[in-house]
Amino acid sequence: MNDGEYLAERFEAHRSQLRAVAYRMLGSLSEAEDAVQEAWLKLSRSDTSEVANLGGWLTTVVGRVCLDMLRSRTSRREDPLDVYLPDPVVSSIEGTDPEQQALVADSVGLALLVVLEALPPAERLAFVLHDMFAVPFDEIAPMVGRTPAAARQLASRARRRVQGAAPAPDADLTRQREVVDAFLTASRGGDFDALLSLLDPDIELRVDGGAMPAPEGTSKLVRGAHAVASQAFMYRSFSPFARLALVNGAPGLVTVPEGGTAAAVMAFTVGPHGKVVRLDILADPDRLTGIDVTLLDT
C-alpha cells in the first residue's frame, strides 16, 4: 500500500462522522458531501505527519468549510423562503443502513434542524461541534475568531434557543410508530375525529413545497390541531400511496404515487404524551429525486 492509498484509507475511516458533522451544520445532504470532499482535498494537500488526532483535525477542517458555506448562504439569501425544511434522511423502517443511521444518531430530527437553520453561523458551529461532537471550546474559538469563553457563550445562546424551540420527541420508537400507524389508518379511512385525536392542541405543520410562491406553491405553516387535521383530511386521497419509513431516525411516511418516485416525505415528532406535536412535510420535487423508494416498506 502506497502513501496515497494509506491516507485515503485513514480518511474513509472518518467519513461517516464527517458527513454527520456537515449534515448537522448545513442541513443539506449534497452540501454535506461537498464539505467532506473539500476536507479530503485539504488532507491530500497537507503534511499531517505531526497530527496526533486525525479525526479531530478533519472535524475542524469540516467545521471551517461548513462555516464558510453557511456565511455564503446567508449573504445570498436576500429573500428567504417563509417555510424551509432541511433535507430529510430517509431509510427503511427496519433501519438497516449503518451509514444513514450515523447521519441521524442522537435524535437529530427535522424539527431540530429547522431550529438550527435559524441560528447565526457562529452559534450553529459552536453548538453543533461542542454539544453534539464534544469538540473543546479551545478548538472552536479560532474557527469563529473568538476567545474560548466567547465561544462557550455562543454555544450557550444556541442551546437556549434550541431548548426553547425544538419539541422533545418520545424516546420510545415503538410508541412513535404506533402513532404514525394510527395516523395513516385514520387518513386512509377518512376518519377526521381519529386524526384529530392524535394531534397535540398546539401542533405545528410545516410544508416546504419548494421555491414556487403561493398560491402556485404549496409551502405553508399551519398551527392548531383542528387546522392541521383539516389539511391532512384534504389530502387523504394520497394516503393509499404512503409507505412507512424512517425519517431522520424516527417513524414517518413517504408518499410514492404509481409513478414510482417520492412525492412527499412526512416527518412526525411525537411527544411523550403520545400526541403529534410537529409535522414536517417536504414536497419539493427538486429535492425528492434522490430518495430510493425501493427500500421502503410497502
Side-chain angles (χ1 to χ4, degrees):
M1 181 183 297
N2 60 39
D3 290 345
E5 292 172 335
Y6 175 66
L7 192 64
E9 184 178 90
R10 294 182 68 196
F11 179 81
E12 287 302 319
H14 298 286
R15 179 181 287 275
S16 292
Q17 161 120 340
L18 298 177
R19 287 185 71 225
V21 171
Y23 176 62
R24 285 158 175 77
M25 282 291 298
L26 300 168
S28 164
L29 294 171
S30 61
E31 289 184 348
E33 289 289 355
D34 290 343
V36 172
Q37 181 62 22
E38 186 65 28
W40 161 247
L41 293 175
K42 175 73 172 178
L43 175 63
S44 64
R45 297 166 182 163
S46 302
D47 179 6
T48 57
S49 58
E50 302 299 322
V51 175
N53 179 2
L54 184 62
W57 186 89
L58 287 169
T59 298
T60 298
V61 170
V62 167
R64 289 182 184 275
V65 171
C66 290
L67 183 60
D68 289 342
M69 294 172 76
L70 285 176
R71 287 170 171 165
S72 175
R73 178 195 295 175
T74 300
S75 66
R76 69 174 184 264
R77 276 191 185 169
E78 297 177 358
D79 184 21
L81 298 175
D82 290 335
V83 177
Y84 175 80
L85 295 179
D87 291 346
V89 179
V90 178
S91 56
S92 166
I93 193 67
E94 305 302 329
T96 56
D97 187 339
E99 187 172 350
Q100 298 290 73
Q101 289 177 5
L103 269 183
V104 296
D106 304 321
S107 301
V108 183
L110 284 188
L112 173 57
L113 287 173
V114 167
V115 178
L116 294 182
E117 285 285 328
L119 296 177
E123 284 189 16
R124 186 168 183 171
L125 176 79
F127 176 78
V128 168
L129 290 189
H130 181 266
D131 285 41
M132 296 183 174
F133 295 96
V135 177
F137 289 117
D138 286 349
E139 297 178 19
I140 296 172
M143 299 186 215
V144 293
R146 310 284 182 92
T147 65
R152 183 185 298 274
Q153 290 177 345
L154 288 173
S156 180
R157 284 201 297 269
R159 194 178 304 119
R160 288 194 297 269
R161 294 180 66 178
V162 168
Q163 291 172 346
D170 190 325
D172 190 326
L173 289 180
T174 300
R175 282 201 297 267
Q176 290 187 43
R177 178 166 178 175
E178 289 171 352
V179 172
V180 174
D181 282 335
F183 183 97
L184 184 56
T185 298
S187 183
R188 286 175 172 171
D191 192 336
F192 182 85
D193 289 336
L195 275 175
L196 190 62
S197 71
L198 295 168
L199 308 181
D200 182 88
D202 298 318
I203 184 176
E204 287 189 354
L205 163 67
R206 281 177 166 78
V207 182
D208 179 353
M212 186 177 293
E216 292 84 359
T218 57
S219 297
K220 64 186 71 176
L221 171 61
V222 181
R223 294 187 174 95
H226 196 278
V228 172
S230 297
Q231 288 288 318
F233 203 69
M234 285 174 55
Y235 293 99
R236 65 188 183 279
S237 60
F238 293 98
S239 60
F241 305 108
R243 302 185 186 181
L244 281 169
L246 286 180
V247 181
N248 283 59
L253 298 172
V254 180
T255 303
V256 187
E258 293 180 356
T261 58
V265 174
M266 303 177 66
F268 292 75
T269 302
V270 179
H273 56 330
K275 304 283 187 179
V276 183
V277 296
R278 178 76 172 265
L279 185 56
D280 294 297
I281 303 178
L282 180 66
D284 180 356
D286 293 336
R287 297 169 58 208
L288 292 170
T289 55
I291 295 175
D292 185 357
V293 299
T294 63
L295 301 177
L296 304 181
D297 179 86
T298 56

